[in-house]
Amino acid sequence: RGSSTQTQTSIVNGQMSSTQSVIMNYQPVRQGVYIIPPFKMKINGQVISSPGKRVKVSAPVQAQARDPFQSLFDRDPYQDPFSRREQEFIDIKEDAFLAVSTDRKEVYTGEGFTTKLSFYVAESNKAPLQFFELGEQLTDILKKLRPEACWEENFNIENIEGETVEIGGKTYTEYKIYQAAFFPLNQQSITFPAVGLKMIKFKVAKNPSFFGQNRQEDFKTFYSKPVTVKVKELPPHPLRESVAVGNFRLEENISTNKTETGKSVEYDFTVLGSGNISGIPNPVITKDRKLELFDPNVRQSINRQSGMVAGTKTFSYYLIPQDPGNYKLSDYISLIYFNTSKKRYDTLRSALSFEVTGESKQNVVMSSNDATSFYDRIGQASNELRQVERNDFFRTALNIFILLALAFSGYIILKK
């Protein structure tokens, strides 16, 4: 009865690790003991095992109604072995359709929108339908549907479950086949072309009998209509090509409010909200000699659920103050983004500060930087062998001869 996925990514000291979770909800249709069998997975050459589990389902409080969606997946194989009469089958007009839909018709560059491919069956439908080789068909369909200039966050639908929806005052069962959020990378409009889904459609017996074959397998292809999403350019801004786009807020944490010069302080700058979490860039850093900031470790968590992509991205910094005083982090760290709710640029700024006591460490830092800059210049120096010019050789020899002559004359004068 629906599924959700979650991805967590961490970058610590340049090493990236990732965790992926798939959560699926099930609703039993009859009582009994269900066994989830043990299984093994091979991950990076290591075998990981799950012991499995037993789930006991007791009697329902109310009688379970017959599953109205069963006809889409189950066949009716009954055939009368004794009947010799030729059965006549008729084609019943189906009340169903295939559709590609988006939750937005117009977005900004970088702003996300959710797209889904669904098959809808009306409550009043009388024609028996069933999916046919859905996995193979979906591979070809997605090659046509997926836009090129977009970042995709796939909702990874593993099990197709029916969900009752109302369209134009009419009740349908929606079978969601594919769902993803797309974030356009440029201002080119996105068009999802019409795609076709081949379904098994059964013809029904004109004179059905209890033991006879009451339906006959046939095929029909359902086609969706093309859908276009207009992409608007972001308003003018110096960072328009690199800002994050979404609806975000800031959470922050600092290890201490008081410290001494030369000692490190840990600070977390966490961005939360809905949007392209993976596309959030590092905050803008303002550097000076009073406070030394190191490149951050990055962790992110992405949730895809209920048609939305949301999550968190945390930037963990080490700060080393060099001078005593009061440090406001808003002077050093900030993140500019385009707020899709306010439809304007906004800035996430820190509200924290910390007090520093002790003697200034700037002279130590400057001498250290000078030594570093000396070694940095090694890479710029030429390592090519160069022949000494003849004039340079004679000039050097003459200077040495003059020095020796002066030294000898001084020696004679002092001796007299």
Side-chain angles (χ1 to χ4, degrees), residues 86-333:
E86 186 72 22
Q87 183 65 273
E88 183 180 356
F89 297 93
I90 59 175
D91 187 11
I92 298 177
K93 176 64 178 176
E94 76 284 343
D95 193 354
F97 63 93
L98 179 70
V100 174
S101 59
T102 60
D103 63 342
R104 299 171 186 268
K105 298 300 180 184
E106 187 176 80
V107 295
Y108 284 99
T109 304
E111 182 181 8
F113 64 94
T114 301
T115 303
K116 62 180 179 179
L117 173 68
S118 299
F119 189 74
Y120 296 85
V121 181
E123 189 179 41
S124 58
N125 176 65
K126 301 298 183 184
L129 298 167
Q130 181 179 314
F131 287 116
F132 173 72
E133 296 180 352
L134 186 57
E136 295 181 11
Q137 290 194 76
L138 189 57
T139 300
D140 295 331
I141 290 173
L142 294 186
K143 290 179 181 179
K144 301 176 183 178
L145 279 185
R146 284 182 169 133
E148 293 183 355
C150 284
W151 177 271
E152 178 187 4
E153 289 289 350
N154 195 332
F155 283 73
N156 295 321
I157 297 176
E158 300 290 340
N159 297 309
I160 300 177
E161 299 287 347
E163 181 181 353
T164 302
V165 296
E166 189 172 306
I167 303 175
K170 191 173 180 178
T171 303
Y172 288 85
T173 300
E174 178 188 7
Y175 296 92
K176 199 179 298 180
I177 302 172
Y178 167 75
Q179 186 176 20
F182 293 104
F183 300 87
L185 304 178
N186 56 39
Q187 63 184 79
Q188 183 178 357
S189 295
I190 299 167
T191 299
F192 298 96
V195 293
L197 179 66
K198 189 176 182 180
M199 299 283 294
I200 298 176
K201 180 186 177 184
F202 293 94
K203 293 181 180 180
V204 298
K206 186 175 182 180
N207 299 306
S209 63
F210 183 77
F211 292 104
Q213 182 181 1
N214 291 324
R215 58 183 187 177
Q216 185 182 64
E217 187 178 279
D218 199 1
F219 296 94
K220 179 169 182 176
T221 301
F222 294 82
Y223 292 93
S224 66
K225 295 181 180 179
V227 177
T228 299
V229 177
K230 182 180 178 182
V231 181
K232 301 182 294 183
E233 188 177 17
L234 292 174
H237 191 277
L239 300 176
R240 178 169 62 182
E241 302 298 328
S242 59
V243 296
V245 179
N247 189 11
F248 303 118
R249 60 186 177 89
L250 173 63
E251 284 188 0
E252 49 186 345
N253 183 56
I254 193 168
S255 60
T256 182
N257 293 322
K258 292 183 178 180
T259 188
E260 298 178 359
T261 55
K263 293 187 176 180
S264 65
V265 177
E266 298 178 17
Y267 171 67
D268 289 342
F269 187 99
T270 301
V271 183
L272 304 89
S274 59
N276 186 3
I277 304 299
S278 299
I280 298 176
N282 288 9
V284 176
I285 302 300
T286 302
K287 293 186 177 181
D288 61 19
R289 292 184 175 179
K290 295 173 60 179
L291 184 65
E292 188 174 2
L293 290 89
F294 294 90
D295 291 337
N297 294 324
V298 183
R299 305 187 307 274
Q300 71 178 26
S301 175
I302 303 175
N303 296 314
R304 310 167 194 89
Q305 194 171 10
S306 302
M308 290 184 58
V309 175
T312 64
K313 194 165 189 176
T314 301
F315 303 89
S316 299
Y317 292 90
Y318 286 97
L319 318 174
I320 300 180
Q322 305 300 327
D323 281 351
N326 184 43
Y327 289 80
K328 293 182 179 180
L329 292 177
S330 58
D331 297 335
Y332 295 93
I333 303 175

Side-chain angles (χ1 to χ4, degrees), residues 6 9 21 31 46 73 83 85 102 142 234 250 259 262 269 279 283 298 320 342 352 356 398:
Q6 182 177 7
T9 303
S21 303
Q31 66 186 61
Q46 182 179 359
F73 299 94
S83 176
R85 186 180 59 182
T102 60
L142 294 186
L234 292 174
L250 173 63
T259 188
F269 187 99
V298 183
I320 300 180
K342 300 177 181 178
L352 299 180
V356 179
L398 180 61

Side-chain angles (χ1 to χ4, degrees), residues 352-373:
L352 299 180
S353 61
F354 62 99
E355 190 73 25
V356 179
T357 58
E359 297 181 356
S360 175
K361 304 288 185 179
Q362 281 204 44
N363 292 335
V364 177
V365 174
M366 289 176 63
S367 61
S368 174
N369 288 340
D370 290 343
T372 303
S373 63

Side-chain angles (χ1 to χ4, degrees), residues 10-31:
S10 300
I11 302 176
V12 180
N13 296 327
Q15 298 294 322
M16 185 178 72
S17 62
S18 178
T19 303
Q20 297 190 26
S21 303
V22 179
I23 303 170
M24 293 178 285
N25 300 303
Y26 293 90
Q27 180 180 356
V29 296
R30 55 183 176 270
Q31 66 186 61

